[in-house]
Structures are given as C-alpha cells and as structure tokens.
C-alpha cells in the first residue's frame, strides 16, 4: 500500500508546457473484477505496442493498490524490473509488443475518498475521472491513451445487477448462485470513462428511437425504494436526446444508455460511456420530494451528461489542461437546451447571476486560473467555475462572433474530424476558424489569461446635431500581470433607447472591441439616448460605468433584453446598499420604490413571472462583497435587510395579491410557466412576511401544498424571523416528513443557515444528527457547505471560522476533494476588513501546519502566501 496522504513539503506540479505523448498504444484492455467489499481482485489483460522508438520501459499509474502479480507475455516479471515510486510503477525492459497481465487487490469498503471503486450504501460503484482509474489497476491514467475495454464481473448473488460500459455480451451462472457477466465497449476510450456498478438495484426502463431509426434501450438504476422518483429524469433524457439530434445533428451510438443513482458522490454526475453515474440528488425527483429548482437542475444535469457522449467521449481531451474543451462546451450545450425548453431570458439571467457571483469571485481570488490552466498540483482542484462556467461563456462568444449557422458548421467539422481522438482546445477553435475564415489569434486570450476584464463605456451625445459617440475602453483584470497582459477581443452587444419613451433609437448592434480603446459614432440620434450594453452579457466582463439612476430606471422599464432589465435594477439595488453602508439613515430613493411598484403592476411583466421574481430578488452577498471591498459582511447583510424591508413596506399593497394570484392551481407541473408563477408567489410571500403576520398563510401552505416547493417555502419563511411561533413546529414537521435523503438535506441546510436559530452550536448539533454522516458528501454540503456559504451571521466570526477549519481537517483524512472545496470561503479573506482577515488567516495557518492531502494543500497554500 502506498501512502495516500502526501507530505506538504514536496507537491509535484504538472505543466502543460511539458506535455509529451505516451510511448505505447494499448490495443485492448480486458478487465476481470471479482467483487468483494474488502478484497476485490482485479485482473487486467492488455495488449501493448510501442510507438516511440528508443523507449524500453513502461510507466503505469497506481495508487493504494495491493500488487499481486505482474506478467508480460505470460511470464512473471521479476521484482528487480519493477520500480514503484509515488503513484507510478515502472516496468523495465519490456518488448516492443506484448501482453500485460496485472492482478491487483483493492478495498472498496475502506475507500472514503470516493475515487476508484467504492461502496455506496452497500453497492459497488466507480468514479474514475480525473485520476481514479489508478486506484483500480496499474495503467496509463491519462486521457490521451485510448483503448477498447471488455469488463468481466463476478459477484455473489447479493449483487444481482452488474453493469459496465457498452453492450452486455453474456450473463452466466456459476456455482453458489454466483454469476459472471461480460460487457464490451466497442468505442475506444480513455480510462477515466470506465465505469462499473454492482448491487441490488431496480430499473425504470424506456426507449428512444434515434434519427436514423435505431431503438435505444434506456434504463435508470436506483435502490428499490427510489423507483417512484425516476420518471422525470427519464423524460428529460429523451428530451435531451432529441434536442442533440435537432440542434447539433448528434445521434446516440450504443444500443443501450444507462444511468445509475448513487448516494455517495463527490460531484453532480459523471458521463462514463453508456453508463452515467449520478449523485442521487441530481436524478431523483417527485413532486413531494423535489423542489422546482431540483427538477430544473436534474433536467440540466441529465442533459449535460448525455451531451458529453459527443463533447467529451467521442471527441475527448488530450490532457487535463484541456478540461474546458469538454466541460465549457458541454455546459454551453446544456444551458442552450434548458433555454430552449424553458424560458430563454430567465435561464440567461440565472446563468449570468451565477457567473457573476461565483465565477467572478474565483477569478479575482487566490485560486484564479485561466480557462486553460498552465499547471496544477492536483487536477481535482480544477473542476472549477472557471473551467465550466467561464468556459461556456467563451464558447458562447464564439457563437456570437460566428452566428448560429457558421457555429453549427464549425461544430460539425470538429466532431467529424476529431471523432475517436483526444484533442486540445486549439483543435476546437481551429474548426471554428476554418469554417468562418476568421483569425482567432487574439481571441485565445480568453483561454490563456486569468481574471475578469473590465469594460468602461462613455457616451457623448450632441442633442442638436444628433451625433452620438460611444467610447469603449477595456481594462485588464485586477489580477492581471501587467507586463504580459494582452488586450481581449470583446464582443459588445448594445442598443440605444430613449430614456422617456423607451423607443429604440439605435437597434441592437454587435461591436468587436479588439484594442484597448475604440469608439463608434451614430448620426441622427434623437431624444435622450440611454445605452443598453453587454446585452445578454455578450462577454464575461465587469462593466465599470456609473449609470445615472434615471438611465437605470429607463432600462429596467423598457429594455427588450431580459438580462439588461434585470441588470439595471440590480445596479439600482447595489447603489442603494452602497448608500446605506455609508449612512444607515440615508433614505432609499423613492424612484426605486416607484419602479418596483410599476414593475409589479406592469401587465407585460406579470406575463413573465419568473423574470419579475428575479428582478425582485436582491443581489447576493458574493456580488456585494466584490463591489464593496474590503467590506464588513455583517454590515452588508444588514444594509441588504434594510433595503428589503423598505421595498416590502413600499410595495406593501401588492404582495398579498401577487401571492394569491400567482400560486398555480391544479395538479403540480414542473414546467417553466408554473415554476415561474410559484417563484413569483413565493417571492411575494417572503416580502409579505416582512410586513404582516403570515402564520395562517404559512400553516395553510405547509399543510395543503401539492408540492415540495411550496411546502419548503412555508417552512423556510417561518424559520426566518417571520413566524417565531410556528418556526419550531414546522421545522419538526418538515423533518418528520423527510423520508428521502434529498428532503433531509433541504432541512439540514435550512437549519444550518436560517439567521434566527442557526448558531454555531446548532450547526455542531446538526453534524451529530442521527442521519448525518461525515462520509456522505451530500450531508456535509448540506450542513457545512450551507453554513459557510450562506450563513453570514454565524460563519463570519472567530468561532465560525474555527468550526469550518476543524471540519475541513477532519474531512481531509476521509475525502480530500470535499475538504478542498469546503475550505474555499476561508480563502476569500482578502475581500473583508482587516479584523475579519486576521481571524480567517489564522485558521488557514492552523490548517496548513498539519499534514494535508495534495488537494487541500494546493488550495490553502495558494491562499496564504
Ligand atoms: N465530468 C463530470 C461532469 O461535469 C464531473 C465530474 C468530475 C464528476 C470529476 C466526477 C469527478 O459532467
Ligand atoms: Zn461535464
């Protein structure tokens, strides 16, 4: 056994500039698993051929493996020819072509890192991306080594369902009720896409007929108790399959597509070829046990993993520096899918909000990195918002620059030319360049430079001649390296409207800013022009522009771009909070209150309730912290509360009616328009609770709702300061009704965050709850993740930081990936006032003085240099 806990002293850095191809090709891999909870035997028989002259040894990866035997062409390899260092095994003096036979033994039950083969509620499952395959057998654990895999699984009768990638070839009974099943995946793949599942599972089945008329067998495997919660994911899968055919011309390739739900999983889900493995929270849904948000997330994730079959699996990544090649593109694909089946404007607002609050934070903090990082210590730390969300924005800009038709031609070319290959971001952009004849040289900055560029916009209008000049200046990201920074190519979509009438004065125009500064002129512009700029967030930049209140009001009232409207009112909220931070007694601008009332009354807005709900929601902490730094999180929290109270009072006559008229009637439907109505109804109820007694409404909603969304809202609102008399009772009832893990997690996270009762003591108590387990990442995220990310009042204190640091250290010994993610909020100390900074840093120093995993060490060391 090798030691899985690296010493802090010598973390190895992997660099893109040092990439070298692997000197051998693997023609086929035959794996045999003899499943056993503590002693699983894995036999690998693989066929190798040298492709680089002069090489005589073979370097394989392996981690936490018990090596039983290594044979080449049937002969045991002598120990003297084997060198094992770190995570690799070197076999010396191998022939030019040979068959390798390796037997290893592993302990799935002891595997709490949830990488490689592990047990989740007694069921065997695997997670191999990025570097988990090395915990199964010795192999070149890198995505550019592709091979076809055959998997043979032997197990006791208590594991009746035995799955792997590809097609089922045989299923044979052997003695004592044991069985052997064989799966064969005809598509060559890197080992990170390998998967195996063994357990006592039930399946929900369906089928899909592809564009060429092939019938695909679809299955979702779950624990038996969850069979009644699989339908929505299956329907989503079919919608995603049809969409990928319509929009990208991509057809599914194998005859079977399986999804398996597991309760212990580090991430959301995984796109293993033909056998996607999902965190149960990202696949199981029913009206009683999933909120609207969960339904929408499930649909998006099912689609995301399915879309990877082309963007990731058929065309894969050469190395992990290319991670965004598959993730950025696939997030872009899934967000377009969601936009097409729900509301495009609302989906874009939500994505932009998430990008700005979370990715912009990452992009200005200690772990900022380019979409194509130049180096890493631990690749698991690079499954980030930058790789995923900013990566998707970069693909979106390519489409904006090319237009939809050329973009589709580019994607067709990319898929056709590189099918079956492991490629780089350069090949993807190259295909887009080729079909359009465009030079993407400057555009590559988006992949290569970290940080969020800033955009300044100045307008000069001569009301007599009508001449209007708009000047665009780009400024480097705050974290940019001044000497080497290059100007970005920024697609800026803008439009001009009249401040009073809202009439469009200059229709939507796309300006490509390639210099540091450039301007455009329009003639004959009448009226009072207001610019709607970066429409739909046409580039992931920060707009640095002090916009007069009157302009923002005009945009919020009239703009025909949903994101722009929403962005304008958000800016007004931010300005108000800024005033309150300077002087808590400063009055809120009546114009803002009037605007809110007008939007609520606007018949057109009420047609789009989800959009209105977004507009009535105040900016999140992360956004405010970014603007008012170094800030005092407690002061920002109270300023925001004060603004919320003012809006609640100012629009007091509308909340009740809005709540009543918007609550959808009839049976629950998790589709966009009903979701939008519920979202507005609940937003209104939240405001209503700030101005009057809502006990009866909450109790009624809690007891009679047809769905979890409303029931959960009633509990959540009661638990805040709205209904202290009801609070404990509804909390208990919600817990009593929590018969699934997903509902339990909603309860845990609400209990860990609600301002009134979620003290440090309460959070500690939750980690001692009988249904809490440190080994289950969903429970940890529900309590500690929610606490650190959403409970400003309790977390931003010496005791709060200590609780997080203690938890991170405890987790690091079990699951380094989860520990490294959980520590993040502490690493953002630079955004706060010195009194906060010192306490946060001292906890980080305490963490780094311990013996840490590579994962945690990389994150913490970057944060306290
Ligand atoms: N590749 C997965 C996805 O984004 C995410 C993932 C990464 C899952 C690593 C597990 C481990 O679809
Ligand atoms: Zn993905």
């Amino acid at each position: 056994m090798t030691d899985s806990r690296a010493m802090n002293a010598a973390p190895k850095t992997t660099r893109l500039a040092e990439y070298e191809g692997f000197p051998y090709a693997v023609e086929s891999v035959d794996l045999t698993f003899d499943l056993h909870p503590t002693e699983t035997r894995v036999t690998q028989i693989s066929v190798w051929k040298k492709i680089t002259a002069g090489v005589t040894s073979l370097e394989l990866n392996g981690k936490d493996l018990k090596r039983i035997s290594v044979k080449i062409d049937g002969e045991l390899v002598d120990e003297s020819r084997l060198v094992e260092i770190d995570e690799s095994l070197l076999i010396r003096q191998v022939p030019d072509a040979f068959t390798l036979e390796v037997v290893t033994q592993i302990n799935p039950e002891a595997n709490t890192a949830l990488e490689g083969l592990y047990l989740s509620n007694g069921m065997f499952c695997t997670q191999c991306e990025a570097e988990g395959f090395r915990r199964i057998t010795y192999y070149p654990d890198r995505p550019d080594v592709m091979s076809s895999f055959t998997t043979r699984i032997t197990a006791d009768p208590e594991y009746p369902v035995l799955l792997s990638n590809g097609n089922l070839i045989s299923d044979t009974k052997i003695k004592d009720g044991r069985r052997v099943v064989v799966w064969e995946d005809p598509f060559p793949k890197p080992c990170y896409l390998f998967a195996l599942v063994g357990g006592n599972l039930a399946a929900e089945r369906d089928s899909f007929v592809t564009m060429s008329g092939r019938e695909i067998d679809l299955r979702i495997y779950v624990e038996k108790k969850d069979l009644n919660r699989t339908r929505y994911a299956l329907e989503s899968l079919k919608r995603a399959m049809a969409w990928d055919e319509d929009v990208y011309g991509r057809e599914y390739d194998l005859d079977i597509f399986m999804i398996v739900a597991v309760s212990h999983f580090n991430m959301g889900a995984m796109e293993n070829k033909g056998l996607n493995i999902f965190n149960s929270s990202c696949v199981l849904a029913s009206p009683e046990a999933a909120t609207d948000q969960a339904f929408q997330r499930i649909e998006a994730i099912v689609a995301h993993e399915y879309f990877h079959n082309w963007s990731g699996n058929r065309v894969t990544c050469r190395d992990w520096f290319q991670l965004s090649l598959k993730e950025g593109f696939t997030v872009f694909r899934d967000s377009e899918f969601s936009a097409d089946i729900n509301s495009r404007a609302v989906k874009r607002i939500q994505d932009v909000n998430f990008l700005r609050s979370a990715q912009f934070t990452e992009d200005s903090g200690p772990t900022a990195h380019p979409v194509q990082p130049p180096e890493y210590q631990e690749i698991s730390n690079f499954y980030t918002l930058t790789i995923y969300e900013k990566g998707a924005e970069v693909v979106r800009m390519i489409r904006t620059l090319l237009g939809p038709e050329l973009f589709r031609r580019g994607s067709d070319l990319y898929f056709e030319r590189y099918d079956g290959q492991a490629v780089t971001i350069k090949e993807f952009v190259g295909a887009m360049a080729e079909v359009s004849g465009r030079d993407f040289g400057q555009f590559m900055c988006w992949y290569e430079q970290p940080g969020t560029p800033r955009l300044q916009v100045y307008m000069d209008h001569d009301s007599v001649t009508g001449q209007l000049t708009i000047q665009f200046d780009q400024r480097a990201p705050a974290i940019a390296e001044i000497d080497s920074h290059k100007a970005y190519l920024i697609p800026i979509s803008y439009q001009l409207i009249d401040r009073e009438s809202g009439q469009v004065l200059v229709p939507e125009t796309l300006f490509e800013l390639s210099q540091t500064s450039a301007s455009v002129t329009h003639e004959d512009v009448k009226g009072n022009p207001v610019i709607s700029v970066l429409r739909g967030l046409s580039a992931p930049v920060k707009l640095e522009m002090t916009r007069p209140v009157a302009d923002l009001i005009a945009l919020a009232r009239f703009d025909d771009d949903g994101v722009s409207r929403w962005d304008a009112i958000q800016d007004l909220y931010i300005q108000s909070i800024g005033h309150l931070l300077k002087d808590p007694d400063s009055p809120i601008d009546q114009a803002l209150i009037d605007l809110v009332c007008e939007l609520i009354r606007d018949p057109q807005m009420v047609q789009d309730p989800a959009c209105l709900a977004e507009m009535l929601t105040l900016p999140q902490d992360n956004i405010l912290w970014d603007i008012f730094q170094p800030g005092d999180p407690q002061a920002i929290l109270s300023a925001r509360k004060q603004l919320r109270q003012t809006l609640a009072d100012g629009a007091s006559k509308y909340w009740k009616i809005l709540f009543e008229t918007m609550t959808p009637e009839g049976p629950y439907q998790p589709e966009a328009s009903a979701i939008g109505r519920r979202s507005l109804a609940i937003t209104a109820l939240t405001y209503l609770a700030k101005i009057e007694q809502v006990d009866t409404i909450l109790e009624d909603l809690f007891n009679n709702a047809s769905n979890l969304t409303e029931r959960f809202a009633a509990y959540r609102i009661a638990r805040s300061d709205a209904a202290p008399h009801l609070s404990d009772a509804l909390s208990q009832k919600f817990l009593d009704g929590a018969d699934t893990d997903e509902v339990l997690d909603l309860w845990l996270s609400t209990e860990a965050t609600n301002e009134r009762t979620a003290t440090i003591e309460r959070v500690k108590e939750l980690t001692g709850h009988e249904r809490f387990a440190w080994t289950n990442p969903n429970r940890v995220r529900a309590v500690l993740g929610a606490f650190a990310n959403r409970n400003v009042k309790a977390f931003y204190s010496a005791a709060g930081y200590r609780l997080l640091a203690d938890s991170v250290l405890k987790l690091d010994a079990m699951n380094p990936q989860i520990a490294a993610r959980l520590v993040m909020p502490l690493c953002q100390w630079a955004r706060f006032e010195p009194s906060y900074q010192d306490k946060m840093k001292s906890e980080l120093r305490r963490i780094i003085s311990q013996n840490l995993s590579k994962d945690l060490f990389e994150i913490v060391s970057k944060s306290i240099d």
Side-chain angles (χ1 to χ4, degrees):
M1 281 272 208
T2 53
D3 185 5
S4 65
R5 309 248 296 155
M7 287 303 292
N8 291 349
K12 190 174 145 290
T13 298
T14 308
R15 294 190 176 81
L16 171 57
E18 291 164 7
Y19 172 83
E20 274 177 42
F22 193 70
Y24 295 84
V26 190
E27 280 162 12
S28 65
V29 182
D30 204 298
L31 296 170
T32 300
F33 287 80
D34 193 345
L35 292 181
H36 184 281
T38 55
E39 295 170 342
T40 289
R41 283 269 166 135
V42 183
T43 304
Q44 172 198 162
I45 300 178
S46 43
V47 180
W48 301 72
K49 208 159 112 195
K50 183 154 80 181
I51 50 178
T52 306
V55 175
T56 56
S57 50
L58 174 68
E59 190 181 341
L60 306 174
N61 301 106
K63 188 175 161 74
D64 292 352
L65 299 172
K66 182 164 172 188
R67 171 154 47 87
I68 305 295
S69 61
V70 178
K71 288 182 188 168
I72 285 188
D73 293 330
E75 300 256 326
L76 266 180
V77 177
D78 191 76
E79 277 297 321
S80 65
R81 282 168 60 200
L82 300 174
V83 188
E84 197 152 1
I85 350 170
D86 270 347
E87 293 182 15
S88 69
L89 173 70
L90 198 68
I91 310 177
R92 289 204 286 238
Q93 278 127 32
V94 299
D96 290 352
F98 57 95
T99 299
L100 176 72
E101 184 182 328
V102 186
V103 182
T104 51
Q105 187 176 307
I106 50 183
N107 183 350
E109 196 176 272
N111 182 351
T112 53
L114 314 184
E115 292 176 86
L117 179 69
Y118 63 92
L119 280 173
S120 170
N121 281 354
M123 129 196 194
F124 289 93
C125 62
T126 55
Q127 174 52 46
C128 295
E129 190 181 5
E131 297 182 334
F133 194 73
R134 63 186 62 188
R135 294 167 181 262
I136 293 173
T137 183
Y138 291 98
Y139 194 77
D141 193 0
R142 41 188 287 169
D144 58 348
V145 174
M146 297 170 79
S147 185
S148 53
F149 283 68
T150 302
T151 311
R152 196 178 317 270
I153 314 170
T154 311
D156 282 341
E158 54 189 297
Y159 306 103
V161 173
L162 300 170
L163 313 173
S164 190
N165 319 85
N167 303 311
L168 181 66
I169 300 301
S170 65
D171 183 342
T172 323
K173 281 223 168 67
I174 51 172
K175 63 178 190 310
D176 303 330
R178 284 167 66 82
R179 274 165 52 238
V180 187
V181 301
V182 181
W183 291 84
E184 204 174 84
D185 181 0
F187 294 95
K189 65 169 178 286
C191 63
Y192 83 87
L193 291 172
F194 170 80
L196 173 152
V197 167
N200 188 5
L201 303 174
E204 169 96 352
R205 301 179 57 163
D206 206 329
S207 68
F208 178 83
V209 178
T210 68
M211 60 206 272
S212 73
R214 292 169 40 244
E215 184 169 335
I216 315 294
D217 181 358
L218 308 178
R219 301 182 188 186
I220 300 191
Y221 285 94
V222 294
E223 292 175 33
K224 293 216 165 71
K225 64 176 172 41
D226 295 323
L227 251 195
N228 58 340
R229 292 193 291 150
T230 53
R231 206 60 238 175
Y232 188 74
L234 210 36
E235 295 302 327
S236 299
L237 174 62
K238 289 189 287 179
R239 284 193 281 274
M241 293 177 88
W243 187 91
D244 214 16
E245 292 185 349
D246 288 352
V247 179
Y248 281 86
R250 298 291 118 203
E251 184 179 355
Y252 186 65
D253 46 15
L254 290 163
D255 299 331
I256 180 167
F257 185 83
M258 298 174 280
I259 287 177
V260 181
V262 303
S263 63
H264 292 63
F265 204 72
N266 284 343
M267 310 276 277
M270 178 63 209
E271 71 264 23
N272 317 300
K273 182 76 187 190
L275 179 57
N276 289 0
I277 295 182
F278 273 60
N279 186 321
S280 54
S281 72
C282 298
V283 54
L284 301 177
S286 68
E288 310 75 41
T291 60
D292 289 339
Q293 285 64 42
F295 273 98
Q296 294 203 311
R297 204 159 52 98
I298 287 165
E299 178 142 82
I301 297 177
V302 167
H304 177 99
E305 305 311 330
Y306 173 73
F307 296 156
H308 269 315
N309 191 55
W310 276 96
S311 49
N313 302 3
R314 288 288 288 258
V315 181
T316 195
C317 302
R318 187 192 74 174
D319 52 70
W320 293 121
F321 302 102
Q322 320 300 327
L323 183 55
S324 196
L325 173 71
K326 73 178 176 80
E327 296 304 346
F329 188 22
T330 305
V331 171
F332 174 70
R333 278 151 55 68
D334 84 59
S335 69
E336 283 295 297
F337 165 72
S338 296
D340 280 346
I341 56 173
N342 297 301
S343 149
R344 182 160 283 274
V346 174
K347 172 64 179 161
R348 189 63 187 147
I349 290 171
Q350 290 166 348
D351 285 353
V352 169
N353 197 16
F354 183 50
L355 184 81
R356 280 189 186 155
S357 58
Q359 197 277 326
F360 283 15
T361 300
E362 176 171 279
D363 227 354
S364 62
T367 58
H369 54 275
V371 173
Q372 183 175 65
E375 56 179 52
Y376 58 77
Q377 287 172 21
E378 171 51 63
I379 185 59
S380 299
N381 287 332
F382 284 77
Y383 287 77
T384 60
L385 298 151
T386 300
I387 302 292
Y388 279 70
E389 267 62 42
K390 186 177 183 178
E393 292 300 317
V394 175
V395 175
R396 178 176 300 277
M397 286 190 283
I398 295 178
R399 196 198 43 183
T400 303
L401 293 168
L402 259 55
E405 275 95 55
L406 280 178
F407 181 79
R408 168 66 196 270
R409 279 188 17 220
S411 100
D412 285 352
L413 177 63
Y414 169 74
F415 286 129
E416 269 144 44
R417 182 177 291 167
Y418 302 111
D419 189 8
Q421 298 183 40
V423 301
T424 70
I425 286 169
K426 210 184 250 150
E427 273 82 47
F428 178 77
V429 178
M432 298 294 169
E434 191 169 322
V435 295
S436 63
R438 238 177 191 278
D439 177 5
F440 276 89
Q442 186 185 11
F443 186 83
M444 293 310 287
C445 287
W446 287 109
Y447 286 106
E448 290 159 2
Q449 297 183 160
T452 312
R454 296 170 288 179
L455 178 70
Q456 300 176 332
V457 183
Y458 306 95
M459 266 207 331
D460 187 25
H461 182 227
D462 184 330
S463 55
V464 180
T465 62
Q467 194 179 64
L468 174 101
T469 304
I470 312 168
Q471 186 186 322
F472 297 110
D473 290 359
Q474 59 171 298
R475 290 182 61 203
I479 62 158
E481 288 173 24
I482 305 302
D483 329 325
S484 56
H485 176 79
K486 294 201 214 78
Y488 288 83
L489 177 77
I490 305 180
I492 303 172
S493 158
Y494 69 91
Q495 172 168 300
L496 291 144
I497 60 168
D498 181 64
R499 190 182 300 130
E500 273 69 47
S501 67
Q503 196 199 331
V504 175
L505 304 175
V506 175
E508 188 167 80
T509 305
L510 186 70
F511 182 78
E512 295 179 21
L513 177 64
S514 56
Q515 261 97 36
T516 319
S517 179
S519 59
V520 277
T521 300
H522 293 276
E523 305 293 341
D524 290 326
V525 180
K526 312 238 158 47
N528 290 313
V530 173
I531 188 164
S532 155
V533 69
L534 287 171
R535 290 161 63 78
L537 194 72
S538 59
V541 302
K542 283 185 192 170
L543 182 63
E544 288 187 340
M545 186 182 179
T546 322
R547 297 186 282 183
V549 170
D551 286 15
L552 290 170
I553 288 178
L555 292 171
R557 291 172 72 192
F558 303 125
D559 204 339
D560 54 11
D561 176 69
V563 172
S564 262
R565 280 189 99 166
W566 166 81
D567 176 57
I569 198 165
Q570 296 295 312
D571 210 349
L572 288 165
Y573 294 146
I574 290 167
Q575 291 188 14
S576 298
I577 289 170
H579 297 318
L580 290 172
L581 283 173
K582 281 203 202 93
D583 172 12
D585 295 324
S586 69
I588 306 278
D589 198 338
Q590 185 59 38
L592 175 56
I593 298 168
D594 293 344
L595 172 67
V596 165
C597 294
E598 183 189 325
L599 291 173
I600 295 172
R601 278 195 313 260
D602 182 351
Q604 204 202 319
M605 273 284 33
V606 172
Q607 294 298 305
D608 195 350
C611 237
L612 182 54
E614 295 293 346
M615 290 183 79
L616 294 173
T617 304
L618 302 185
Q620 298 170 24
D621 289 312
N622 263 333
I623 293 205
L624 300 171
W625 295 341
D626 191 44
I627 294 166
F628 303 112
Q629 57 177 305
D632 174 347
Q634 305 297 355
I636 290 174
L637 181 68
S638 38
R640 194 187 36 201
K641 271 187 171 166
Q642 203 180 328
L643 173 61
R644 198 192 295 132
Q645 186 64 50
T646 310
L647 297 181
D649 294 332
S652 60
K653 56 175 180 253
Y654 302 111
W655 302 124
K656 191 165 208 165
I657 180 118
L658 211 47
F659 169 67
E660 283 166 356
T661 52
M662 281 297 138
T663 302
E665 272 159 25
Y668 175 78
Q669 288 295 336
E671 52 76 41
S673 80
I675 290 176
R677 293 176 66 102
R678 266 189 296 278
S679 149
L680 182 55
I682 291 166
T683 304
L685 181 57
T686 312
Y687 277 110
L688 184 66
K690 304 260 170 260
I691 56 170
E692 65 179 57
Q693 256 272 13
V694 286
D695 287 24
T696 329
I697 300 180
L698 294 178
E699 224 173 345
D700 185 54
L701 191 63
F702 188 91
N703 293 325
N704 302 321
S706 67
N707 60 83
L708 186 67
T709 308
E710 290 168 343
R711 213 170 121 82
F712 176 53
Y715 151 54
R716 188 164 25 85
I717 295 171
R719 206 69 172 127
S720 66
D721 45 12
H725 320 292
L726 219 56
S727 168
D728 288 346
L730 289 197
S731 169
Q732 189 58 47
K733 274 196 185 173
F734 194 84
L735 175 61
D736 292 344
D739 45 18
T740 68
D741 288 347
E742 286 66 38
V743 181
L744 172 70
D745 286 343
L746 281 179
W747 180 79
L748 288 170
S749 61
T750 306
E751 293 300 305
T753 52
N754 95 83
E755 273 170 32
R756 218 169 43 79
T757 61
T759 57
I760 304 282
E761 281 317 307
R762 175 65 174 148
V763 174
K764 282 188 190 155
E765 192 182 295
L766 292 171
T767 63
H769 192 274
E770 53 177 2
R771 291 171 76 183
F772 182 88
W774 288 98
T775 47
N776 188 315
N778 289 2
R779 293 306 91 72
V780 170
R781 282 183 279 251
V783 176
L784 293 148
F787 163 67
N789 289 297
R790 293 193 275 132
N791 185 342
V792 172
K793 197 170 160 202
F795 175 62
Y796 286 88
S797 67
Y801 308 144
R802 192 170 332 115
L803 173 57
L804 189 71
D806 286 344
S807 309
V808 164
L809 286 170
K810 179 179 182 125
L811 278 162
D812 195 39
M814 304 178 209
N815 188 329
Q817 283 187 29
I818 297 299
R821 273 178 199 275
L822 195 64
V823 79
M824 293 292 189
L826 276 178
C827 303
Q828 291 292 341
W829 54 265
R831 306 160 112 210
F832 304 112
E833 285 179 350
S835 62
Y836 291 91
Q837 293 194 358
D838 296 343
K839 297 183 190 114
M840 296 173 91
K841 278 193 277 190
S842 90
E843 290 302 330
L844 288 170
R845 280 192 220 102
R846 182 162 72 88
I847 292 174
I848 206 138
S849 70
Q850 311 282 309
N851 190 20
L852 306 179
S853 67
K854 276 209 285 184
D855 306 59
L856 186 57
F857 177 77
E858 180 175 28
I859 301 291
V860 178
S861 63
K862 281 179 176 167
S863 310
I864 46 166
D865 268 344

